[in-house]
Amino acid sequence: MSAPTDSLQSVLDHSFAGLSQGRDAYQAHLTPQEVGTITSVSTGIAMVSGLPGVGFDELVKFPGQVFGIAFNVDESEIGVVLLGDYSRLQAGDKVERTGRVMDTLVGDGLLGRVIDPLGRPLDSLGPIAASAHLPIERPAVPIMDRAPVTVPLQTGLKVVDALIPIGRGQRELILGDRQTGKTAIAIDTILNQRGKDVVCVYCAIGQRASAVAKAVAIFKDKGAFEYTVVVVTEGNDPPGLAYIAPYCATSIAEHFMEAGRDVLIVYDDLTQHARAYRELSLLLRRPPGREAFPGDIFYIHSRLLERATHLSQERGGGSLTALPIIETEAQNISAYIPTNLISITDGQIYLSPSLFELGVLPAVDVSKSVSRVGGKAQRASYRAVAGDLKLAYAQFEELETFARFGARLDESTTKIIEHGRRIRACLKQPESSPVSVAAQIAVLMALTEKLFDNVPLERMPEAELTVREAAAKLPDELQARFNTTAKLSDADRDAILQIAHTALDSFQPETVPKAETDISAPTRSADKASS
């Protein structure tokens, strides 16, 4: 019996000796943790004291899993922008540092999902399967890592693709008064990316829940949801969420761009973003400037839109195209925020309320719209058929205004006006109905060659649709050349014109009446008849 007892004793002695050695070798390391206190809570912000080491833009944690961003870093206290439901916060609550900046989920798992800026799902489809996290604030790509914009981004809208082309990597501003179709242009552009290997990010900033639900329903009905990420802040969300929303959406888009993919991002709209930032700044006692906006309002938008670019081949060759939306008041495009965005972006698409009232949809005012980059990326086939179209349309608009005063016009002026009316009729397009490249080329060439001029104005929608349907019969190799840099040959032009002639034969009047030389009636009735 003594042998087992001795062996057990030796085991215990060995174990206790090991514990004693471990105890002697252990050294306690204290980790300092800063804990602050809420001194006051206001609408969307909190003032906190007792965090001397906190940094600008650092994420801080409040009770109830509410987070905030350190915005004002003063000597005695900090101003924090709250990112969640702050109704239960009160003075005296504890605040902890996190030691990190605000970041967002990124990855293919976000495609087809609706999320808020904090990465929380809003679509009842379960947790997000994200591959990584990226900070929402990231430096823009250096100039030497960028490449020229050389590839077009087809919107499916004839008036945009022909007259105001957009290139991949460009920033094109969409602006206009309320209810003029700004969001419709952005949504149609997203719908047209189906099958083109372009990832889309739609960022709704301070929008009504019903408007966001309508956009999501359109994406689902048209099959665009599978390549689209929707980032949402609603009108009743805290202003801090509206402020960080476009930066979160941009980081999500940059993840795909850095993987070598082409990305389209829509900011709907930056007017709400600027108002949210103004609200936060005024509550934090930052000095107001013009229209009560803080002095750095230009900087918050410029550092956002500078992240849209076309990467060089060494960086993967991806691109990020931005379509920011801005709302104007009483057609005042010279207001503070619109002029800021116009100076930052590479062009603008202006939507006119008067054209909208006349039924000219999309209501793009061609004379006030411009693309300062996309023309270099426009395909040669478009330049061949739409080169003189903008000038002819501008001449028509000038003469149409003059003709409304009842002046007697000569025959050449009358022909210009009649041709311009048919250009306007051809550029009309229903919502959520993008047009293919081949159909656009056929219609634009028929316009340029004045094949529509003898078609009665009330039959123009039907005639234009017939030409689009006939364009589907063009040879496949010819349609493929439309999407390349190759120029149209004489044989190509003849083939397109032949199909257009055949399609329009049934719309030609038996006898072409001589054009009236006295245009005294307003053209509004004709425009309404053609809509």
Side-chain angles (χ1 to χ4, degrees), residues 161-163 378-390 419 437-450 482 488 492-493 496-497:
D161 291 339
L163 305 181
Q378 193 177 33
R379 296 302 188 198
S381 54
Y382 270 96
R383 289 197 292 270
V385 299
D388 299 329
L389 204 60
K390 191 167 186 177
H419 180 57
V437 173
Q440 289 192 43
I441 294 294
V443 170
L444 295 172
M445 181 168 288
L447 266 180
T448 304
E449 298 296 330
K450 301 185 177 181
F482 290 155
L488 291 179
D492 295 338
R493 297 178 67 91
I496 299 171
L497 289 174

Side-chain angles (χ1 to χ4, degrees), residues 36-40 46-51 60 62 76-80 95:
T37 305
I38 298 178
T39 58
S40 65
M47 304 305 294
V48 177
S49 64
L51 295 177
V60 295
F62 294 85
S76 58
E77 62 180 4
I78 62 170
V80 179
V95 186

Side-chain angles (χ1 to χ4, degrees), residues 389-461:
L389 204 60
K390 191 167 186 177
L391 177 60
Y393 194 48
Q395 287 179 333
F396 153 68
E397 288 182 325
E398 291 284 342
L399 292 174
E400 182 188 40
T401 304
F402 180 68
R404 284 186 175 135
F405 292 103
R408 296 183 61 85
L409 305 176
D410 57 24
E411 185 175 353
S412 62
T413 304
T414 303
K415 287 182 178 179
I416 293 175
I417 292 178
E418 291 300 324
H419 180 57
R421 287 175 179 167
R422 280 149 184 82
I423 294 176
R424 174 181 287 171
C426 278
L427 294 181
K428 291 181 181 180
Q429 192 168 329
E431 189 176 341
S432 302
S433 302
V435 180
S436 66
V437 173
Q440 289 192 43
I441 294 294
V443 170
L444 295 172
M445 181 168 288
L447 266 180
T448 304
E449 298 296 330
K450 301 185 177 181
L451 301 185
F452 287 106
D453 283 12
N454 291 331
V455 177
L457 202 58
E458 63 273 8
R459 299 193 68 188
M460 278 299 298

